[in-house]
């Protein structure tokens, strides 16, 4: 492969040389004239820069498309909900609280998830655990609110009795 100065010299000879110069250069370098013409064409393209500009424009267009795609995917990701086992249990708890059975809740989860959706018994254990935890929380809240509820109940009873 000729060096850069040799390629430039070959291009100069092809573009500005006299009749027979290309043949002599090909003979001296032990190359075909056609290979010298191809090298000269590449030198002209490199100097002209149109190929490089076209490539840069193509790459800039690809970058713009990829940025747009990343932006769209980021917006989708911002709205996405990861359906972890905990989130599946939460969906099952809300479904049961709304009166939906666990088998129906599981079928609804299967619409959103691949076939690895948790089983009905697993969802049942998760909702039972949530119910137990909610029960303990209600006991604490009942104790804290008991004095206020008694007062409110007495007022309500008083107002009902006075209307009679």
């Amino acid at each position: 492969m000729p060096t850069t100065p040799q390629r430039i010299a070959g291009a100069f000879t092809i573009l500005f040389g006299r009749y027979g110069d290309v043949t002599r250069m090909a003979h001296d370098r032990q190359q075909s004239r056609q290979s010298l013409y191809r090298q000269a064409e590449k030198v002209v393209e490199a100097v002209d820069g149109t190929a490089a500009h076209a490539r840069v424009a193509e790459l800039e267009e690809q970058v713009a498309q990829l940025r747009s795609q990343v932006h769209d995917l980021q917006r989708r990701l911002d709205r996405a909900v990861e359906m972890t086992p905990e989130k599946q249990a939460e969906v099952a708890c809300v479904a049961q609280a709304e009166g939906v059975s666990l088998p129906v809740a599981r079928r609804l989860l299967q619409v959103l998830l691949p076939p690895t959706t948790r089983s009905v018994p697993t969802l049942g254990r998760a909702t039972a655990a949530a119910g137990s935890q909610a029960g303990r929380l209600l006991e604490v809240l009942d104790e804290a609110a008991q004095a206020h509820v008694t007062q409110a109940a007495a007022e309500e009873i008083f107002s009902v009795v006075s209307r009679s």
Side-chain angles (χ1 to χ4, degrees):
M1 164 101 19
T3 64
T4 301
Q6 287 176 331
R7 283 185 263 162
I8 293 172
F12 181 83
T13 301
I14 288 170
L15 296 172
F16 303 108
R18 293 178 298 197
Y19 183 80
D21 287 347
V22 176
T23 304
R24 272 191 297 283
M25 182 178 279
H27 184 272
D28 291 345
R29 293 186 184 179
Q30 298 178 347
Q31 287 182 285
S32 68
R33 286 185 6 233
Q34 190 58 41
S35 68
L36 290 175
Y37 288 121
R38 281 193 298 268
Q39 288 174 7
E41 187 177 328
K42 289 179 184 177
V43 168
V44 170
E45 285 176 4
V47 170
D48 182 27
T50 55
H53 290 302
R55 181 71 176 139
V56 166
E58 178 185 325
L59 291 173
E60 286 175 345
E61 184 179 333
Q62 278 183 338
V63 166
Q65 288 174 351
L66 290 172
R67 282 187 177 150
S68 174
Q69 186 179 9
V70 165
H71 179 71
D72 291 344
L73 290 172
Q74 188 63 48
R75 281 189 320 180
R76 288 178 63 189
L77 183 60
D78 290 343
R79 293 188 316 262
V81 175
E82 186 177 358
M83 291 301 285
T84 61
E86 293 78 21
K87 186 57 89 173
Q88 290 180 43
E90 182 182 347
V91 169
C93 288
V94 171
Q96 281 212 302
E98 294 292 331
V100 176
S101 70
L102 285 177
V104 172
R106 182 175 190 270
R107 285 194 298 275
L108 291 172
L109 282 169
Q110 284 177 323
V111 169
L112 301 172
L113 300 171
T116 58
T117 304
R118 299 175 87 188
S119 67
V120 172
T122 303
L123 291 174
R125 285 190 293 278
T127 57
S132 173
Q133 186 176 6
R136 290 193 304 271
L137 178 62
L138 285 175
E139 287 175 14
V140 172
L141 290 174
D142 281 348
E143 275 183 46
Q146 189 171 9
H148 300 290
V149 172
T150 304
Q151 176 99 23
E155 287 178 10
E156 188 62 32
I157 293 171
F158 176 73
S159 66
V160 171
V161 172
S162 67
R163 285 187 208 152
S164 309

